[in-house]
Amino acid sequence: MSVRDHRLVFFGPPGAGKGTQARRLTSRFGFAHISTGVILRKIIRADTPLGQEAAGYINDGNLVPDRIVRILAEDAMLDANFSGFILDGYPRTLQQAEWLQEFLQSQRTSLTTVVNFVLSDEDVVSRLSQRRIHRLTGENFHLSNKPPPPEEAEFMITRPDDQPETIKHRLKTYYRDTHPLVEYYRSRDLLRPIDASGAFTTVYSQICEVLQLS
């Protein structure tokens, strides 16, 4: 299967490394990385009315309403011409999964694989509480695994939703609204679990093996 034939969802708890791995695959193989989180942060920085509305939900550790995320995801898939894309952050609810299936069916296509990043709650809290974002470039750093350059320290910020208490709230939201998608996609024989607790290169190798990429 060529890259253009892959229509993927990267799925898992916050902090599991979905975005980092998607960016690596995009750089290496030319996937279209459709990150609803990145798109949302762009419209929030642009201070659009939609961005202002979304920011209120994100800062409280809640999911952005489905109607907003659906518009952003569908527009991005259209831009990718429904080929060689990785959906990262969508779908996050059963309703969104149904919308996605209906939308792809209307375009006479479908998903090929849902990669499930498996990570413990303890690892999620540890990873996100140590995450830092470069406020100018948006690059992610981790205080233990990928420390930011000392000369860039003044540009490092902690996302409001990466505070420990907010992380715990995000996990509760994940298990309530998003985790049911495991069975949804397993029953459709699309789910492919990987252990996301290892080193970046180990997780990357697992994904490449699952997707038969070389």
Side-chain angles (χ1 to χ4, degrees):
M1 182 182 293
S2 71
V3 169
R4 292 183 58 83
D5 293 326
H6 283 289
R7 291 172 297 280
L8 311 174
V9 168
F10 277 13
F11 168 82
K18 303 180 294 293
T20 301
Q21 295 293 347
R23 285 189 292 273
R24 177 68 181 93
L25 289 166
T26 297
S27 174
R28 173 66 178 82
F29 297 105
F31 283 100
H33 179 201
I34 301 173
S35 168
T36 52
V38 170
I39 298 171
L40 282 167
R41 286 191 287 276
K42 284 181 179 178
I43 66 172
I44 289 170
R45 285 196 298 270
D47 203 30
T48 66
L50 194 63
Q52 292 174 4
E53 181 181 355
Y57 291 95
I58 292 174
N59 291 341
D60 288 338
N62 294 316
L63 294 175
V64 173
D66 287 355
R67 61 180 175 79
I68 297 176
V69 180
R70 183 183 186 182
I71 292 169
L72 300 177
E74 291 183 358
D75 284 350
M77 283 184 281
L78 282 166
D79 288 343
N81 199 28
F82 301 100
S83 66
F85 67 73
I86 301 171
L87 279 169
D88 169 17
Y90 184 87
R92 285 186 174 177
T93 65
L94 288 172
Q95 179 67 76
Q96 289 181 0
E98 293 288 353
W99 283 339
L100 175 59
Q101 181 173 336
E102 292 169 6
F103 178 65
L104 291 175
Q105 285 179 341
S106 74
Q107 303 298 321
R108 300 182 180 180
T109 189
S110 61
L111 294 176
T112 55
T113 309
V114 176
V115 179
N116 182 24
F117 289 64
V118 180
L119 191 68
S120 71
D121 292 358
E122 292 78 10
D123 283 340
V124 168
V125 174
S126 174
R127 284 189 183 185
L128 291 183
S129 62
Q130 295 192 69
R131 181 166 65 177
R132 298 294 182 270
I133 311 295
H134 196 294
R135 65 180 176 85
L136 300 181
T137 66
E139 183 177 0
N140 286 329
F141 294 91
H142 188 275
L143 296 182
S144 297
N145 300 331
K146 185 186 174 184
E151 64 273 15
E152 299 289 318
E154 63 179 299
F155 299 110
M156 295 301 129
I157 59 173
T158 301
R159 281 170 43 179
D161 53 337
D162 281 347
Q163 300 292 343
E165 287 306 311
T166 306
I167 294 168
K168 293 176 183 177
H169 180 69
R170 291 172 68 189
L171 277 169
K172 289 180 181 178
T173 302
Y174 167 77
Y175 283 114
R176 183 191 69 211
D177 296 337
T178 308
H179 194 259
L181 291 179
V182 169
E183 184 54 38
Y184 178 89
Y185 283 120
R186 181 186 289 125
S187 68
R188 288 158 175 77
D189 196 29
L190 290 171
L191 196 73
R192 302 294 182 268
I194 62 154
D195 180 1
S197 65
F200 171 85
T201 53
T202 303
V203 176
Y204 178 76
S205 295
Q206 289 184 68
I207 297 170
C208 288
E209 182 177 355
V210 165
L211 300 179
Q212 298 182 338
L213 298 169
S214 59

